[in-house]
Amino acid sequence: DADVTQTPRNRITKTGKRIMLECSQTKGHDRMYWYRQDPGLGLRLIYYSFDVKDINKGEISDGYSVSRQAQAKFSLSLESAIPNQTALYFCATSDMGQGKTQYFGPGTRLLVL
Amino acid sequence: AQTVTQSQPEMSVQEAETVTLSCTYDTSENNYYLFWYKQPPSRQMILVIRQEAYKQQNATENRFSVNFQKAAKSFSLKISDSQLGDTAMYFCAFTPLNNAGNMLTFGGGTRLMVKP
């Protein structure tokens, strides 16, 4: 089984709808992240969390919120989706050690109509 | 703030040949980590190689090696004996050593096509 899983893998929604993307990990890592990927821009950080009680905004947090329900679960919500939030979304985890390597989930492709 | 630049949006190489992907970065930090990630058509992000800035020796992982030039802030990836399965997007990424959150700054990516 994959160490970092994301659901759903693909999602189509309409402008104004609220949606949630979920991420779970079995790696036992304390740090979790949400990134979005747009063509030509690489991955940009939306939110990150050190642990259940510590959540921080990243580079592009406007229009997004997150919830760290447990060490293993980190959800990303779009409160009112808009078309320019159409992107590929990745969840990642890391530990304090392991040379700061981040391990990524398979991604969620989101289309906002 | 750190920035990472990949100046080659697309590259191609013949199977079995060698190709080098470029990456430059800008930082005032002295100690940091650099990474190359591969994203095949399956879109999974896969770690290819990691380099610690305090290590002078260039990292190597099988057919993948880096040319790390700290003074020039350059971190290129060399793929030897290219294989069809190397076709993918390649992303260079950076994180400072003192970054407790381990957040990565990514370049815009290079799309590599390996031709038979």
Side-chain angles (χ1 to χ4, degrees):
Chain A
D1 288 340
D3 294 322
V4 185
T5 58
Q6 292 183 234
T7 55
R9 293 294 310 278
N10 298 281
R11 178 74 183 269
I12 301 173
T13 192
K14 295 182 178 180
T15 297
K17 294 291 187 181
R18 182 182 188 275
I19 69 163
M20 178 182 290
L21 310 183
E22 299 186 342
C23 176
S24 295
Q25 53 117 345
T26 58
K27 299 186 76 67
H29 289 167
D30 53 355
R31 288 156 172 74
M32 297 187 74
Y33 312 82
W34 277 104
Y35 292 91
R36 76 175 265 176
Q37 181 183 1
D38 299 280
L41 296 178
L43 280 72
R44 293 180 293 165
L45 183 64
I46 305 172
Y47 271 94
Y48 62 101
S49 171
F50 288 175
D51 60 36
V52 175
K53 298 181 180 179
D54 190 346
I55 293 177
N56 304 275
K57 293 182 177 180
E59 179 187 358
I60 53 165
S61 59
D62 288 348
Y64 302 94
S65 63
V66 291
S67 173
R68 185 85 182 263
Q69 301 94 327
Q71 187 198 31
K73 296 184 181 294
F74 192 36
S75 300
L76 176 72
S77 294
L78 286 67
E79 299 300 327
S80 180
I82 56 177
N84 77 358
Q85 291 177 314
T86 293
L88 185 56
Y89 290 85
F90 284 99
C91 174
T93 74
S94 78
D95 203 345
M96 287 184 64
Q98 299 186 21
K100 294 183 174 286
T101 298
Q102 291 193 13
Y103 299 89
F104 287 81
T108 295
R109 185 170 297 283
L110 175 65
L111 173 62
V112 183
L113 300 175
Chain B
Q2 288 78 222
T3 59
V4 178
T5 302
Q6 295 178 246
S7 59
Q8 305 150 314
E10 295 185 357
M11 296 189 71
S12 63
V13 63
Q14 292 295 133
E15 194 175 8
E17 298 290 308
T18 295
V19 63
T20 299
L21 309 183
S22 300
C23 172
T24 58
Y25 56 95
D26 186 22
T27 183
S28 58
E29 301 284 343
N30 189 49
N31 293 314
Y32 45 85
Y33 289 87
L34 293 159
F35 305 85
W36 278 99
Y37 280 89
K38 168 185 177 181
Q39 186 181 42
S42 66
R43 79 192 189 203
Q44 179 74 48
M45 293 288 286
I46 302 166
L47 177 67
V48 175
I49 203 164
R50 180 183 68 222
Q51 175 78 43
E52 293 90 340
Y54 55 87
K55 289 187 177 179
Q56 294 184 345
Q57 185 172 6
N58 288 324
T60 299
E61 288 288 342
N62 300 315
R63 297 182 295 107
F64 298 88
S65 62
V66 298
N67 182 4
F68 173 49
Q69 302 289 327
K70 190 173 183 180
K73 296 180 181 175
S74 171
F75 183 60
S76 60
L77 175 70
K78 185 172 81 171
I79 306 174
S80 303
D81 186 25
S82 296
Q83 301 176 359
L84 296 178
D86 296 333
T87 292
M89 283 288 292
Y90 287 82
F91 292 97
C92 178
F94 168 100
T95 189
L97 183 65
N98 64 1
N99 179 346
N102 299 350
M103 291 83 74
L104 294 174
T105 300
F106 284 87
T110 296
R111 185 177 302 279
L112 176 67
M113 173 77 71
V114 180
K115 299 178 178 179

